[in-house]
Amino acid sequence: MRIASIDVDTLLFEYPAQSRFRYAGGTCTHRVSSLIRVAADNGEVGIGSVYSHPRLVETIVTEQIAPMLRGRDPTAVEDLWRLMYGLTRWYGRKGAAVSAIGGVETALWDLRGKQARTPVWKLLGGENVKAVPAYASALLWDDDVAALGREARVHLDRGFRRMKMRLGRSWDYDVAALEAVTTACGRDGEVMVDGSLRYTVDRAARLVGELEARGAVWFEEPFEPEDIDAFVALQKRSRIPLAAGENEFGLQGFRELLRADAIDIAQADVCRCGGIGEAMAVGKLAAAHGKRLAPHTWSDAVAVMANAHVVAASPNGFTVEIDQTGNPFIAALLRDPLEVRDGMLRLSDAPGLGVALDEEVVARHRWPAGRPLPDGAYSDMIFGPTHLAPAPPYRDGQA
Ligand SMILES: [Mg+2]
């Protein structure tokens, strides 16, 4: 088997006005993701996903990576990753390049599994896996905190047992929103909190008291990802596990976080951090530090499944994230939709990643190669000055 071609599909979705959500970056107008397809000369196609700037991903994959990989054995996944990493190291290592090569590597794992007629989780060392824990990622900023409580019940009704909410708006909002969601969950569910990078150490420590009282599962990214010292300082004042890693790349990035004892939960995302092998390596290193792996995902259902295989194969794999904000690339991209029951995402024995794309959905959302993205707030990237509307600074308020 030889690699015949490598292609990128940029997927783009614009929310209808009434479905847009508010978050720390403003109002989310669009969603985007990049699918990678590695086709072999025997007709098999491996699928991967990248969550980064799509135009950069297109350029790196089609102009530099694809010509180097064509004609090579796609099952030599580790060798090809090292080749891609070496080719992009000078401008890569963190950011779009390492994310892009991770998407190609994920597609190579899918091909390797198809060739071996074995699911990727089994190739990675998992045993007898039927499902992995998964949590609903949603509960964005809402002026009506009672609506957050109602939304929490919807996630429970859809089969989730854990859910992540966004705080970091103001002290009064944080406490009211947390109260609404944890009360609505009662004994049926547990809550993770995403701090949206909006705290100081003292403010975060104050919120930790509330999180401890309500049994929160983890406190994610209270600080900017570069501020490792703040994470270390909060660790000493928190019994709630601290989580981060959606903004980290490569084993070397996570090594810095783990050596510093900055986090309890490593959120390496296959589609951002550098691929399946890299996320597995982060998980192993985290285990050596007595920490857990709970991959971030946000972009699409291929990303969810790729990360789920890593959780399934990692002894310290804790749970995988599933966007529940009405993202069509989660809900409609796969011919067999994601299936969550009793808080567990089903994994199958199908070869490779076990994903088949709904090509009509891909065609409907495909954004032409080379065309600039429309201005908008893409949840993690913002284009155009009119969409640059970050939330006002955190207000301390009164408890
Ligand atoms: Mg997050």
Side-chain angles (χ1 to χ4, degrees):
M1 185 162 63
R2 297 283 149 184
I3 295 172
S5 64
I6 303 181
D7 293 292
V8 181
D9 276 320
T10 297
L11 304 182
L12 188 139
F13 168 74
E14 180 172 6
Y15 282 104
Q18 71 276 11
S19 321
R20 295 174 177 180
F21 60 79
R22 287 169 71 194
Y23 69 114
T27 298
C28 184
T29 60
H30 293 74
R31 298 297 291 273
V32 74
S33 191
S34 304
L35 295 180
I36 309 287
R37 299 186 209 232
V38 179
D41 57 2
N42 65 356
E44 289 284 12
V45 178
I47 300 167
S49 162
V50 185
Y51 188 42
S52 186
H53 189 313
R55 299 292 308 287
L56 298 178
V57 173
E58 271 171 34
T59 300
I60 292 162
V61 172
T62 61
E63 293 181 19
Q64 191 181 18
I65 299 299
M68 297 292 192
L69 263 54
R70 244 176 255 132
R72 293 179 187 266
D73 174 4
T75 63
V77 179
E78 292 79 7
D79 292 344
L80 295 182
W81 188 89
R82 274 192 291 276
L83 173 63
M84 293 189 285
Y85 189 79
L87 286 166
T88 56
R89 174 186 274 134
W90 180 75
Y91 67 89
R93 298 181 76 237
K94 294 198 178 197
V98 77
S99 300
I101 71 173
V104 175
E105 185 253 25
T106 301
L108 296 174
W109 271 105
D110 190 28
L111 268 180
R112 181 188 258 179
K114 285 170 173 164
Q115 172 87 346
R117 294 189 168 77
T118 306
V120 168
W121 59 258
K122 197 178 268 183
L123 293 178
L124 295 171
E127 289 174 16
N128 198 26
V129 178
K130 303 282 183 230
V132 296
Y135 70 93
S137 186
L139 298 159
L140 283 110
W141 289 4
D142 195 324
D143 290 335
D144 177 9
V145 294
L148 291 176
R150 292 191 293 277
E151 187 193 326
R153 296 303 310 181
V154 171
H155 300 310
L156 293 173
D157 290 344
R158 287 181 179 162
F160 288 99
R161 293 293 169 265
R162 297 193 186 109
M163 62 192 75
K164 186 162 78 191
M165 60 187 307
R166 274 69 181 175
L167 296 184
R169 202 171 174 189
S170 69
W171 175 258
D172 289 346
Y173 176 81
D174 286 359
V175 172
L178 190 60
E179 173 75 22
V181 173
T182 52
T183 301
C185 282
R187 291 166 182 266
D188 301 331
E190 294 182 304
V191 174
M192 293 85 151
V193 164
D194 189 329
S196 311
L197 326 181
R198 300 255 301 167
Y199 294 84
T200 61
V201 173
D202 285 341
R203 284 168 176 159
R206 187 181 181 201
L207 187 67
V208 159
E210 301 293 322
L211 301 181
E212 287 174 353
R214 289 170 175 80
V217 179
W218 74 54
F219 190 9
E220 172 176 328
E221 286 200 322
F223 316 115
E224 292 182 348
E226 297 80 6
D227 198 355
I228 294 177
D229 292 346
F231 281 91
V232 172
L234 185 60
Q235 280 286 47
K236 298 184 173 76
R237 298 166 67 177
S238 175
R239 279 180 290 162
I240 295 290
L242 300 187
E246 69 178 84
N247 283 299
E248 196 48 81
F249 302 88
L251 181 61
Q252 88 282 355
F254 284 90
R255 186 163 52 212
E256 195 176 359
L257 288 171
L258 290 163
R259 271 185 185 159
D261 195 17
I263 56 172
D264 300 295
I265 292 167
Q267 297 180 289
D269 179 343
V270 165
C271 306
R272 300 202 75 220
C273 84
I276 285 176
E278 205 69 354
M280 286 295 298
V282 170
K284 286 197 180 86
L285 187 67
H289 286 265
K291 312 293 190 184
R292 288 177 288 180
L293 177 73
H296 164 270
T297 83
W298 187 243
S299 47
D300 63 66
V302 175
V304 172
M305 291 305 292
N307 281 287
H309 281 258
V310 168
V311 172
S314 301
N316 59 334
F318 179 24
T319 180
V320 67
E321 178 171 14
I322 306 182
D323 175 4
Q324 292 293 295
T325 61
N327 172 357
F329 309 142
I330 297 286
L333 186 61
L334 301 185
R335 288 215 295 263
D336 296 318
L338 303 177
E339 197 181 314
V340 178
R341 206 174 293 163
D342 286 330
M344 303 290 284
L345 171 67
R346 195 177 77 85
L347 281 186
S348 74
D349 283 317
L353 294 175
V355 297
L357 300 172
D358 183 330
E359 295 294 348
E360 277 180 32
V361 174
V362 174
R364 198 181 313 144
H365 296 287
R366 184 180 282 125
W367 189 254
R371 186 187 290 178
L373 300 179
D375 282 356
Y378 288 70
S379 172
D380 292 299
M381 292 172 283
I382 294 171
F383 301 103
T386 56
H387 294 276
L388 187 60
Y394 188 94
R395 294 188 311 277
D396 283 307
Q398 292 302 311

